[in-house]
Amino acid sequence: MNSEHYLHWMKKVVDLLPEKSVIVLDQAPYHKKRVAETLMPRMQWTKSTIVEWFLSRNIPLPDHVDNFVKLTKHGLIALSRNYPTEERYELQNVTRDSGKDIKLLYLPVAHCELNPIELIWAWVKGSVSRVNGGGTQNVLKLTNHFLTLVTPQLWKHCVMETKKYEEKYWVRDRLIERNMELIQSNPNLVIRLGDSSESSSSEEISDNSDDDISFTE
């Protein structure tokens, strides 16, 4: 998959979506292709392209030079960081141009368990592998077949599984927040790591204390 094919496909998907839809996405590069005008200079760019980036934005010259060309590529890129551009993705333009109220929700990096479609793909791939006799065309045929067997009930089950992870992370967030507040409210708190001693001072929280710090559920 690449960004060109993905955007072409997403335009068709967006046409089918109702108002007030949310598209859940992971952090794959082709999901986050930036609009050309919002790109920041990189070492892969030619020096002339980087200079043009500065000129097109009317960025003032540094005090010690009279021409951007006199700066090295490293110097130009370092200077460009003082003038960051707002990120905008090609997919945002697709949803905007649709005229519909469609939001994009990007998942945290490396958290595929929060995306129900990953469970759907796992089910499809597992079903194909169990009956696959080999051959590219056979795999394609089987994949299309099992995709037709993805029912609303299966989708609902996968969404419910994802919600279990969401609740799990919410619980962890609340525990972390509670314990951070505990630490901040007890400036004399001492947390001993790797100490098996049962003794504790008045400035410590013992293992049996109501305020014991724990990050487990």
Side-chain angles (χ1 to χ4, degrees), residues 1-2 14 35 37 52 72 96 129 150 160 188 190 211:
M1 178 64 74
N2 59 41
V14 167
V35 175
E37 292 77 14
E52 178 58 32
T72 64
R96 180 201 63 194
S129 66
V150 176
M160 295 306 296
N188 297 321
V190 176
D211 291 329

Side-chain angles (χ1 to χ4, degrees), residues 180-195:
M180 288 304 298
E181 290 177 352
L182 173 64
I183 293 171
Q184 292 169 358
S185 63
N186 289 270
N188 297 321
L189 176 67
V190 176
I191 303 176
R192 290 188 175 184
L193 301 177
D195 187 353

Side-chain angles (χ1 to χ4, degrees), residues 3 17 20-21 43 62 73 88 91 112 114 118 122 134 142 152 161 173-174 189 199 208 217:
S3 57
L17 292 177
K20 299 187 181 298
S21 293
M43 285 302 296
K73 284 181 69 174
R88 184 164 186 84
L91 189 52
C112 60
L114 296 175
E118 295 292 345
L142 288 171
E161 287 298 311
D173 282 348
R174 286 190 287 268
L189 176 67
S199 63
N208 297 320
E217 299 175 37

Side-chain angles (χ1 to χ4, degrees), residues 5-217:
H5 292 156
Y6 182 74
L7 289 170
H8 178 72
W9 177 73
M10 279 302 300
K11 288 177 182 178
K12 297 179 180 179
V13 172
V14 167
D15 286 342
L16 299 173
L17 292 177
E19 287 282 352
K20 299 187 181 298
S21 293
V22 177
I23 302 175
V24 180
L25 304 152
D26 60 24
Q27 300 278 342
Y30 53 84
H31 291 162
K32 303 187 73 175
K33 181 183 178 182
R34 288 182 64 165
V35 175
E37 292 77 14
T38 72
L39 291 173
M40 293 291 292
R42 296 174 290 178
M43 285 302 296
Q44 297 93 321
W45 291 15
T46 64
K47 184 175 180 179
S48 61
T49 302
I50 298 175
V51 169
E52 178 58 32
W53 184 90
F54 280 94
L55 297 176
S56 66
R57 287 163 175 75
N58 296 316
I59 294 174
L61 284 162
D63 294 335
H64 61 285
V65 295
D66 57 10
N67 194 313
F68 286 114
V69 176
K70 294 184 178 180
L71 295 172
T72 64
K73 284 181 69 174
H74 284 285
L76 288 167
I77 290 175
L79 179 62
S80 72
R81 297 192 185 106
N82 296 326
Y83 305 93
T85 58
E86 182 181 358
E87 288 188 356
R88 184 164 186 84
Y89 305 125
E90 293 280 3
L91 189 52
Q92 289 176 303
N93 285 351
V94 171
T95 56
R96 180 201 63 194
D97 294 344
S98 72
K100 299 178 182 178
D101 183 9
I102 296 176
K103 305 298 183 185
L104 301 178
L105 176 62
Y106 285 96
L107 297 174
V109 175
H111 280 284
C112 60
E113 72 278 6
L114 296 175
N115 196 346
I117 201 171
E118 295 292 345
L119 296 175
I120 294 293
W121 279 120
W123 179 85
V124 171
K125 289 187 286 187
S127 299
V128 170
S129 66
R130 283 191 291 272
V131 298
N132 180 30
T136 303
Q137 291 301 316
N138 188 49
V139 170
L140 178 60
K141 182 179 178 181
L142 288 171
T143 300
N144 289 331
H145 168 69
F146 283 108
L147 283 173
T148 65
L149 301 183
V150 176
T151 63
Q153 290 74 23
L154 178 58
W155 265 108
K156 182 178 180 179
H157 172 74
C158 292
V159 170
M160 295 306 296
E161 287 298 311
T162 296
K163 285 186 175 181
K164 290 179 182 179
Y165 281 102
E166 289 181 0
E167 289 299 322
K168 181 179 179 180
Y169 292 139
W170 275 116
V171 169
R172 288 182 178 179
D173 282 348
R174 286 190 287 268
L175 284 172
I176 292 173
E177 183 177 342
R178 178 180 66 83
N179 288 319
M180 288 304 298
E181 290 177 352
L182 173 64
I183 293 171
Q184 292 169 358
S185 63
N186 289 270
N188 297 321
L189 176 67
V190 176
I191 303 176
R192 290 188 175 184
L193 301 177
D195 187 353
S196 59
S197 173
E198 295 181 359
S199 63
S200 63
S201 70
S202 60
E203 294 181 346
E204 297 175 7
I205 296 179
S206 69
D207 292 338
N208 297 320
S209 169
D210 292 337
D211 291 329
D212 186 26
I213 293 182
S214 172
F215 291 93
T216 62
E217 299 175 37

